[in-house]
Each structure stands twice: as C-alpha cells, then as structure tokens.
Amino acid sequence: DVKVTQSSRYLVKRTGEKVFLECVQDMDHENMFWYRQDPGLGLRLIYFSYDVKMKEKGDIPEGYSVSREKKERFSLILESASTNQTSMYLCASSLLGTYSYNEQFFGPGTRLTVL
Amino acid sequence: AQKVTQAQTEISVVEKEDVTLDCVYETRDTTYYLFWYKQPPSGELVFLIRRNSFDEQNEISGRYSWNFQKSTSSFNFTITASQVVDSAVYFCALSEGSNAGKSTFGDGTTLTVKP
C-alpha cells in the first residue's frame, strides 16, 4: 500500500510566522505535489517536484516555497503566513511513467488556520 | 492550456437511484490521461480510474462505470444503485502528455446519497 503521510492534520499559526508542512511517501515515487483545496475552487497546484532538488511552480506559488532534499520527503514552506493562506493543504505523489502518466496518491491533508 | 469542467457542483439522490457525474475537458494534446478521484468525508482523496486518450472503451467496475467520448471531450462517471457510502466529493482530472505528469483538477462534484 502506498502511504503518503503529512506531519499534522490540524495546525494553527499566527500571521507572520514561518510555517513548515512536511510530506513523506514510502513508495519511491519520483513526483511529489503540493495542492491547496478551498471550497468551490477544487484543487490548485502550488508546487511540483519530479526529482530530488528539482521543483516547478504550479498555478499559485506566490507566498510559498518548497524543499526536496530526499526523494521521499517534500516540504512546503510559508515564509510569512497570512490569513489568506488559511486552507486545506494536500500532498500527493506519483510514479514517473515512461510512456504514461500515473495516478496520484494523496495524504490525509493538513488544515492550516492562520490567525 | 488544459481545463476540466465539472458543471454539477452538488447532486443529491436517494439511495438506489442511479447518478451520473459529468466531466468535460479541454486539451490541445493528442496524448492525455483522464482520472477520477473520490474524496469521502474523512478527507483523503482516493484514485478510482485512469483512462488514456487512445482507449475509448467504456469501463465497468461493480456499480461504477465510466463513459469516455472523445467526440464530445467528456469522461462521465455513473454510479448505479447508489448507496450512502457513495456520498463524497468526486474530482475529474486531466494530465496532458506535454505536461510532465501534472494534473489539472475540476472543481469537484459533491454527491449526497440519502437513505
């Protein structure tokens, strides 16, 4: 069974704090993703990584950065949290296919509240 | 640019009714993949099915069936004899061959099955 785990289910932070969200997968997947999910807006891609130390911006990267030092771990960093970053954050991973694109496996999500 | 539209925001049915969730996509690529995911109230997205653009065969898995029609750019999902456990948010997603494994998700359809 593929397992994607996220460090916290619920997190409350104050405006201006630096926030780290951690994601770990145990299936040796090359691709890892960070999304935020907001009511009525579906899933929006923040950042994507296809290899260690490699990253690509998604649709809404402003205010976020990421780190991938090891293949199994992908961290999302909010440099200075703001109230509009209150959201559900979802991490996912997928296998890099040679001739196909594979389904993503999701973690349970972190509900972040910024006060 | 790729786009996925799930026009039905919310659907409510009574148990044992059949229900179809619509998904319309836009892409310029000839090679692409379509996915459906389920997000139950517990929150974790679960992969249901993947289809590539060269395979228009419909698929049935138990009470679930998928109808892929390239002519109308649609990939609809039907649940036969719905059950309360089918209550969830369902997402349709598209990965283009030129887009390195990233997916664009629709906004989701919330299905409520009442007993």
Side-chain angles (χ1 to χ4, degrees), chain B residues 74-96:
Chain B
S74 65
F75 186 43
N76 296 337
F77 173 28
T78 297
I79 302 174
T80 303
S82 60
Q83 298 176 1
V84 172
V85 293
D86 295 326
S87 296
V89 182
Y90 291 87
F91 291 95
C92 181
L94 165 70
S95 289
E96 290 177 323

Side-chain angles (χ1 to χ4, degrees), chain A residues 54-68:
Chain A
M54 306 304 286
K55 61 186 179 187
E56 260 189 44
K57 291 180 181 178
D59 301 317
I60 52 163
E62 297 78 21
Y64 303 95
S65 62
V66 290
S67 171
R68 191 155 179 213

